[in-house]
Amino acid sequence: MTEVQVWWGRADQALAAHVELFSEVERDRHARFRVASARDQFTVGCAIVRLVLAELTGIAPGKLELDRECTRCAGPHGKPRLVGSDLRFSVSHSGDRIGVAFGTGVELGLDVERAEGRDRDGVADAVLTPAELAGWRALPEADRDAAFYTYWTRKESVVKATGDGLNAPMAELHVSGPGEPARLLTYPGALALDATMADLDPGPGYAAALTVLGPLTSVTTHDAGALLAAV
């Protein structure tokens, strides 16, 4: 059975000292960001990964060897792994919120979304199955925002767990509806997945979900503020 830790941070917690923990590849990516908010999201996400993994493994944060190679194009933006370990993690960020989920021996995916400022109706057409879309449109207008982001974060967490990402057609991925326990019903290509899902609370104005490819015993959440500030 799998126990998952989810650590939450904020973009304004980014420090110059965090970059000193990064690998050469991570520092290069950090230097390429031209938008400060995106750079801070990346900084906090990388810092949480290294600081928590250091606690779990006893290896200094700057000594951890992370593989970020994309399996499709060999670029440094693939699903990250800790080399030589069965520890797995998934990073997600939206707006000011950054989350990282950690587990052992299973693939997992975390997604967080800021529940505002989007062309919700336009995205819904691309994300929801026909049945989901019909049910969503039948909801009272006041309930549609929360319902849409429940659907979206659940689906994003699944494709992050599988590693398929944008290559998976969301409108063919069917999950349980808002108000029901989070469950994966069908995956594109009729692939049968042993997936366990959970909705998370990342704070006001945000929605989040977690998927584990396998059983899930428990999820514990942590505030990364003190960890990030102690560097």
Side-chain angles (χ1 to χ4, degrees):
M1 304 296 278
T2 303
E3 298 178 359
V4 173
Q5 298 183 27
V6 179
W7 289 74
W8 295 109
R10 301 190 316 272
D12 63 5
Q13 293 169 324
L15 300 173
H18 295 149
V19 183
E20 298 302 314
L21 306 176
F22 294 176
S23 68
E24 183 177 347
V25 170
E26 290 164 342
R27 291 183 188 181
D28 181 63
R29 284 192 65 189
H30 178 271
R32 291 175 183 271
F33 284 101
R34 293 294 175 259
V35 178
S37 59
R39 183 170 58 246
D40 289 345
Q41 288 175 338
F42 178 78
T43 300
V44 171
C46 285
I48 292 175
V49 166
R50 288 190 170 274
L51 292 168
V52 174
L53 287 178
E55 289 194 347
L56 294 174
T57 64
I59 302 171
K63 300 293 186 182
L64 292 162
E65 186 178 355
L66 304 181
D67 178 9
R68 296 177 178 273
E69 183 174 297
C70 175
T71 57
R72 292 182 171 85
C73 71
H77 50 254
K79 187 175 182 180
R81 294 179 180 274
L82 177 60
V83 175
S85 173
D86 61 354
L87 282 167
R88 298 288 183 265
F89 56 94
S90 177
V91 183
S92 183
H93 53 72
S94 182
D96 187 55
R97 209 68 170 131
I98 299 96
V100 188
F102 299 85
T104 302
V106 293
E107 298 297 339
L108 46 77
L110 172 70
D111 187 61
V112 61
E113 300 291 344
R114 183 171 60 184
E116 60 183 9
R118 298 270 174 72
D119 176 15
R120 184 196 63 188
D121 292 344
V123 177
D125 287 335
V127 168
L128 303 183
T129 68
E132 291 168 345
L133 191 60
W136 178 73
R137 285 176 171 161
L139 293 172
E141 179 62 32
D143 297 335
R144 289 187 187 179
D145 265 354
F148 169 71
Y149 285 102
T150 295
Y151 273 126
W152 196 10
T153 54
R154 287 177 180 180
K155 293 189 177 203
E156 287 280 3
S157 72
V158 174
V159 299
K160 288 183 176 182
T162 62
D164 288 333
L166 296 175
N167 293 290
M170 289 286 197
E172 298 176 22
L173 194 166
H174 189 193
V175 297
S176 55
E180 303 174 8
R183 289 188 302 123
L184 174 64
L185 302 178
T186 59
Y187 195 75
L191 179 65
L193 293 180
D194 178 15
T196 309
M197 306 178 69
D199 295 321
L200 305 176
D201 180 9
Y206 290 86
L210 170 75
T211 295
V212 171
L213 299 187
L216 177 63
T217 306
S218 64
V219 180
T220 57
T221 58
H222 307 266
D223 184 339
L227 193 67
L228 291 165
V231 174

